[in-house]
Amino acid sequence: MAETHSLQDLRQAAVASKVFVQRDYTSGTICKFQTKFPAELESRIDKVQFEETIQTLNNLYAEAEKLGGRSYLEGCLACLTAYTIFLCMETHYEKVLKKIAKFIQEQNEKIYAPLGLLLTDPIERGLRVVEITIFEDRSIGSR
Amino acid sequence: MPVGLSVGGALGDPSPSRPFRPSRYVPVSAATAFLVGATTLFLCFTCPWLSEKFSSFIPLYNVVVFLFTLANFCMATFMDPGVFPRAEEDEDKEDDFRAPLYKTVEVRGIQVRMKWCSTCRFYRPPRCSHCSVCDNCVEEFDHHCPWVNNCIGRRNYRYFFLFLLSLTVHIMDVFGFSLLYILHHTKQLDLVQSGVTMAVMCVAGLFFVPVAGLTGFHVVLVARGRTTNEQVTGKFRGGVNPFTHGCFKNIAHVLCSSQAPRYLGRLRKPQSVQVQPPFLRPPLSEAQLAAKVLDNGIQQSKSSLEIMESQSTDADPPPPPKPEHRYPGLPHTQNEECSLLTEAPPTPSLYKYRPAYSSPGKNHTASTHSSKMSRGNSMTESPSVPVTTGQPSYRSDPSLSSRGAAGCRGGAEGGRSGSGGLGGASAFGGRSYPSFTDTLLQSAAASCSSSLRSAHTAHNALGPLISEGTTSTSYKSLANQTRNGSLSYESLLTPSESPEFESAAHELSPPRPHPPHSLSTAAGAAPILGYTSPFLSAQQREGSLQACPAPLRPSPNRAFLRPISSPPSRAPPLSPRARSLGSPPPGPAPGHTPLGKSMSYGGGAELQHRPSSSGGGTSMPNNTVSFFLPPMATLEFLHAHPPFLCPFPFSVLFLSLRSSAVLFPALLLPCGHKDESVSVLSSTIKQNVANHNTHSHKPARGVKKVSGVGGTTYEISV
């Protein structure tokens, strides 16, 4: 991808492969990702840690899509203002998405980057997959 | 699709610039003109008198309703309906030639098919569909509305629905108050105001009937939790809708959910995290260490490792056997392992591409072995489909056949879909769905198809060891290549005859994709599956014929796969034919087979609608409405957009549609009567559609049990 070919990235490890964690549709069309541990990550990260990350993501998305009083009020307010409120106010979903982006960044910094992995925010893929980039581990050998 | 410069540098630009087609703007301009023009005239000519005579609240009320209508109209018109960005190349690195066209997932106990979109390069999520007018996949696609010149999808359905409601109310108000004016001015009808008011009344009266009809239709859809697409393609006819949460919750979901985010045009934050070696490694478990010993870079599950060890005393696993040398007598579990070996990427370049869709399945052989990936890869998970060559490898369900027929009906895309449909339902384990590949190949080109067919049939004859993947591999690639609809309708007719056979035979083979070279194994194998294959037992043929009374299998609309017994190697079957959604989804529980309650809902009808062209999109003749329009669906669609509401150029086109003659009586039928309207239409529709009715929507009656691969028995509605 062009984005990774900047000068800055030359110092980064080379990308070895990518794993895509798909959506879990067993509960319908709500946004939920499979917590199944991909085989490619077996030697790179702890299974429990990975599942915890995905589960937290799922919980955050569930919060975003929750049909509660808050989203209802937001809808009513939008109707009353002929939807002009969307120009100034951030919707509930967007707020949670920001939270998710922050969470992913934190996870990357603290857990995944040291392991040679990188999580990509699923919103960039249309909430279809969680892309995990596996970087080449030159010290031990490419996997 | 014209390849042009990408417009906009926004993230995930959905499609290259499309040619400017002014005709697309005619309906939306007309709608805007009528709405704004008529209301303005009403407010200027009629309202002054009304405010004097009665109260000034009347014009105020009308203005409020009008503004609400206009706001919803604008939102429906300009809001992104939920377009998915094109998948990036990495996601689709899995070899096109090896990936199936369909993937089934289980949604709340019901099998749903996800189709590969060759334009957008991903498997369409459930309820997603590709709009050929917009050339994008849209989430929870409802329909493409020409009146707003936009797709209606997840993000803007609410505004569209509110627009319809408010427009109905507005029309009623305008008509009512205009009538009041006229009734008070019966002796002054020569006044300008009276004339204008009468004209406004006429316009309002004229638009009221179709708008109210459409509003009523959508009220029913919202209550049932369906999209227009699902309704007109009859996906849930006689079956269960896995996406409904009950009437109240469905309405709440439409009206009260938070605004879904857009996927396009998002600012992508630059990656600020540096990833530099050396990297930490998690501590390895014993099992992982054991695996490492045998691991030569090939992904293997522990169970397959055990198998390998038992096979050979060498520490290194044997090289992957070529498919043509596979010994048919090996137990089914070998297939998993063999297929694993064969699918090991031979030459890892910098990228070791894993199929996105198969991450839960293909790469996790253990899971496919033991437990059931309830989603992702099929209704049946494991390749543990024993070679039940003795079994009438029945091709599961009407959906398959319907897709086969649909293929016949639809031309290129239809052909693909038909086969895909077959594949989808017949998937056993893994993720490939071999059956459709035959149809595809047959339809692809007569000249090359015959050789390919024999290759594929050979595969099937070799039973489970021949991965269905080989046959299915070309499917996705062909789908990608034949976007321009090179398939002819006629070429699909023959194969449509026995989509059952295809899938039946296919089901003998395990769901493992194999490198294309395995195609060469064909020789002397089962003859062409698309046609009556001598390899299929009489029972198979009978079964499929009974399931599919007409020679051309129809059932564009529904396919319910209801296995009532699972193969012995599987977990005990779940309750058969779970008609209600009450049964909890099996989830990732190991040993669970989704088969027990699988009712495949896969969008057969959708498949058939591709009269031609784009692999990803659905095209509609004459560009009238970019929408799926099988002949049967034309009724429903035209109900949604009645012909006489159309501006002149479109009315001609509507009249030219096949079913328009029969449309009117059925136009205002409530949704519940769609079956009858369908029967009305069926006489005007090609024979392969007629078949649909026979077994489409009455699962409770005439259920035929047919057994499939591995002893799985399916109930087909006849």
Side-chain angles (χ1 to χ4, degrees):
Chain A
M1 290 196 290
E3 295 87 22
T4 57
H5 295 167
S6 66
L7 248 153
Q8 180 191 22
D9 297 325
L10 288 177
R11 289 183 279 113
Q12 291 229 67
V15 177
S17 66
K18 294 192 179 193
V19 182
F20 296 97
V21 177
Q22 298 290 325
R23 280 270 294 267
D24 176 2
Y25 293 110
T26 52
S27 317
T29 47
I30 59 164
C31 185
K32 198 173 163 200
F33 291 94
Q34 293 176 3
T35 49
K36 178 113 194 65
F37 189 58
E40 296 90 336
L41 297 179
E42 252 166 50
S43 59
R44 300 297 292 249
I45 189 173
D46 188 30
K47 179 177 170 174
V48 170
Q49 175 63 60
F50 170 81
E51 280 176 3
E52 207 181 287
T53 307
I54 300 291
Q55 196 53 52
T56 313
L57 272 182
N58 287 343
N59 293 340
L60 286 168
Y61 283 116
E63 186 197 326
E65 295 184 349
K66 201 168 79 117
L67 288 182
R70 184 175 177 154
S71 57
Y72 174 68
L73 282 175
E74 202 178 77
C76 284
L77 191 63
C79 266
L80 291 173
T81 61
Y83 308 112
T84 51
I85 197 85
F86 288 140
L87 297 169
C88 7
M89 195 183 80
E90 209 176 44
T91 68
H92 171 63
Y93 209 118
E94 287 287 342
K95 287 192 184 125
V96 179
L97 283 180
K98 280 201 170 152
K99 221 156 98 174
I100 290 171
K102 206 163 132 225
F103 168 73
I104 288 179
Q105 168 129 19
E106 254 173 44
Q107 289 280 299
N108 274 336
E109 279 168 8
K110 293 185 187 150
I111 300 165
Y112 288 82
L115 295 168
L117 301 171
L118 204 64
L119 289 177
T120 305
D121 196 336
I123 195 74
E124 294 178 16
R125 298 280 178 266
L127 290 184
R128 289 180 300 106
V129 289
V130 176
E131 182 185 315
I132 304 173
T133 314
I134 303 175
F135 288 90
E136 216 174 66
D137 197 350
R138 291 194 204 102
S139 53
I140 294 175
S142 149
R143 279 200 53 82
Chain B
M1 176 180 78
V3 176
L5 294 172
S6 268
V7 285
L11 172 74
D13 186 44
S15 61
S17 55
R18 299 187 297 276
F20 178 67
R21 289 212 181 93
S23 64
R24 286 171 54 189
Y25 298 94
V26 171
V28 62
S29 313
T32 313
F34 275 115
L35 177 63
V36 176
T39 309
T40 311
L41 290 174
F42 169 78
L43 291 172
C44 294
F45 288 88
T46 316
C47 283
W49 178 83
L50 285 168
S51 67
E52 277 171 32
K53 179 86 175 174
F54 298 101
S55 133
S56 55
F57 174 72
I58 294 174
L60 189 66
Y61 164 75
N62 279 292
V63 166
V64 166
V65 172
F66 170 63
L67 286 178
F68 186 69
T69 306
L70 199 61
N72 283 299
F73 178 71
C74 291
M75 292 296 268
T77 305
F78 298 114
M79 177 167 266
D80 179 331
V83 173
F84 283 110
R86 300 278 197 263
E88 302 201 0
E89 286 174 15
D90 305 342
E91 218 183 310
D92 181 35
K93 275 314 180 191
E94 153 74 9
D95 189 356
D96 272 348
F97 299 101
R98 310 206 300 174
L101 192 65
Y102 290 94
K103 203 165 66 139
T104 33
V105 291
E106 185 161 319
V107 179
R108 299 172 70 191
I110 295 177
Q111 297 295 314
V112 171
R113 246 178 13 166
M114 293 178 19
K115 187 178 176 192
W116 171 261
C117 182
S118 51
T119 314
C120 305
R121 321 289 297 176
F122 53 75
Y123 285 93
R124 292 181 198 146
R127 306 194 106 179
C128 163
S129 192
H130 190 98
C131 174
S132 59
V133 175
C134 307
D135 198 27
N136 290 314
C137 269
V138 175
E139 190 173 9
E140 284 183 34
F141 179 80
D142 192 84
H143 67 282
H144 180 95
C145 184
W147 306 108
V148 298
N149 192 30
N150 195 15
C151 278
I152 306 299
R154 178 185 177 192
R155 295 186 77 234
N156 64 354
Y157 183 77
R158 171 194 341 194
Y159 307 114
F160 176 75
F161 181 65
L162 289 174
F163 165 63
L164 286 179
L165 285 176
S166 56
L167 185 64
T168 309
V169 167
H170 182 56
I171 289 177
M172 289 194 304
D173 290 337
V174 166
F175 186 86
F177 287 117
S178 299
L179 186 64
L180 192 62
Y181 178 96
I182 294 295
L183 289 175
H184 279 84
H185 290 81
T186 45
K187 305 231 166 61
Q188 298 151 328
L189 289 179
D190 52 335
L191 289 177
V192 173
Q193 287 96 322
S194 301
V196 168
T197 305
M198 280 197 291
V200 168
M201 256 182 78
C202 289
V203 167
L206 196 67
F207 280 96
F208 176 72
V209 175
V211 170
L214 188 58
T215 306
F217 176 65
H218 278 273
V219 165
V220 173
L221 286 186
V222 167
R224 288 180 170 184
R226 299 184 188 184
T227 63
T228 305
N229 182 25
E230 289 161 354
Q231 178 67 39
V232 300
T233 55
K235 281 193 175 119
F236 309 126
R237 200 167 300 210
V240 188
N241 178 359
F243 304 110
T244 184
H245 302 274
C247 179
F248 183 69
K249 277 198 175 157
N250 291 337
I251 296 169
H253 175 72
V254 168
L255 297 178
C256 307
S257 60
S258 181
Q259 177 64 54
R262 59 189 315 186
Y263 300 131
L264 303 176
R266 296 189 79 87
L267 291 172
R268 187 189 253 179
K269 278 188 350 193
Q271 188 55 261
S272 57
V273 178
Q274 290 280 334
V275 182
Q276 285 168 359
F279 299 134
L280 305 171
R281 291 280 173 153
L284 291 178
S285 66
E286 264 191 34
Q288 285 173 312
L289 283 167
K292 271 183 97 62
V293 170
L294 294 176
D295 183 13
N296 64 351
I298 298 166
Q299 287 289 340
Q300 290 162 358
S301 70
K302 298 190 193 72
S303 51
S304 52
L305 282 172
E306 286 162 27
I307 291 153
M308 283 193 309
E309 283 175 270
S310 65
Q311 261 187 302
S312 128
T313 52
D314 291 343
D316 297 324
K322 297 218 164 173
E324 56 265 35
H325 299 315
R326 283 219 199 99
Y327 185 57
L330 286 173
H332 67 265
T333 49
Q334 297 301 326
N335 306 332
E336 181 60 25
E337 167 250 320
C338 288
S339 56
L340 281 171
L341 296 175
T342 34
E343 38 180 57
T347 312
S349 55
L350 191 59
Y351 285 84
K352 286 178 198 164
Y353 305 124
R354 299 288 179 209
Y357 61 82
S358 66
S359 48
K362 177 175 157 185
N363 299 323
H364 302 121
T365 56
S367 64
T368 49
H369 240 294
S370 50
S371 80
K372 313 350 9 223
M373 273 335 314
S374 57
R375 11 165 241 298
N377 294 328
S378 50
M379 43 206 231
T380 74
E381 39 336 294
S382 51
S384 50
V385 173
V387 186
T388 51
T389 31
Q391 293 274 354
S393 43
Y394 150 62
R395 174 266 317 42
S396 60
D397 60 325
S399 65
L400 297 179
S401 46
S402 72
R403 292 192 199 100
C408 308
R409 198 182 318 171
E413 172 59 3
R416 280 196 294 283
S417 350
S419 33
L422 296 175
S426 66
F428 274 92
R431 63 187 165 130
S432 17
Y433 307 91
S435 50
F436 60 77
T437 56
D438 272 334
T439 308
L440 173 66
L441 292 166
Q442 288 154 9
S443 59
S447 53
C448 58
S449 60
S450 53
S451 52
L452 284 169
R453 256 181 258 130
S454 53
H456 292 309
T457 55
H459 280 290
N460 296 322
L462 289 174
L465 294 184
I466 303 303
S467 153
E468 64 187 38
T470 52
T471 55
S472 64
T473 53
S474 28
Y475 204 76
K476 190 169 145 188
S477 62
L478 277 173
N480 291 338
Q481 290 162 16
T482 54
R483 272 187 66 245
N484 295 324
S486 52
L487 305 176
S488 68
Y489 183 103
E490 284 71 28
S491 68
L492 298 167
L493 284 175
T494 340
S496 71
E497 186 143 342
S498 54
E500 299 91 298
F501 298 130
E502 293 172 14
S503 51
H506 276 289
E507 298 198 351
L508 295 179
S509 49
R512 273 296 154 203
H514 283 293
H517 67 264
S518 55
L519 287 175
S520 56
T521 54
I528 289 131
L529 284 187
Y531 310 97
T532 20
S533 163
F535 270 67
L536 293 170
S537 68
Q539 187 181 356
Q540 284 174 318
R541 274 185 224 132
E542 199 189 0
S544 35
L545 282 173
Q546 278 174 355
C548 171
L552 290 176
R553 281 293 284 200
S555 232
N557 305 324
R558 151 256 92 298
F560 290 108
L561 182 63
R562 285 179 283 273
I564 58 178
S565 68
S566 58
S569 58
R570 304 236 176 106
L574 298 171
S575 62
R577 292 195 49 193
R579 300 264 333 243
S580 71
L581 286 177
S583 47
H592 250 60
T593 162
L595 268 188
K597 50 169 80 165
S598 55
M599 292 169 65
S600 71
Y601 125 88
E606 174 192 323
L607 310 175
Q608 314 146 14
H609 307 196
R610 307 267 319 269
S612 61
S613 73
S614 53
T618 57
S619 63
M620 184 47 206
N622 302 318
N623 244 356
T624 347
V625 279
S626 314
F627 189 65
F628 306 136
L629 277 186
M632 210 155 345
T634 310
L635 161 72
E636 318 237 359
F637 178 73
L638 287 173
H639 179 198
H641 297 276
F644 49 88
L645 183 58
C646 301
F648 181 72
F650 292 89
S651 57
V652 173
L653 294 167
F654 273 119
L655 289 172
S656 70
L657 289 170
R658 274 191 300 245
S659 49
S660 60
V662 205
L663 180 70
F664 265 69
L667 241 190
L668 297 177
L669 284 177
C671 298
H673 296 295
K674 288 211 169 26
D675 294 343
E676 293 152 82
S677 56
V678 166
S679 345
V680 167
L681 279 179
S682 63
S683 56
T684 67
I685 296 170
K686 291 188 178 159
Q687 56 172 342
N688 54 5
V689 174
N691 297 321
H692 156 78
N693 293 326
T694 57
H695 56 287
S696 58
H697 49 265
K698 313 258 181 349
R701 324 172 191 167
V703 173
K704 167 130 194 91
K705 290 182 190 161
V706 191
S707 34
V709 182
T712 310
T713 316
Y714 298 92
E715 291 180 65
I716 314 175
S717 315
V718 295

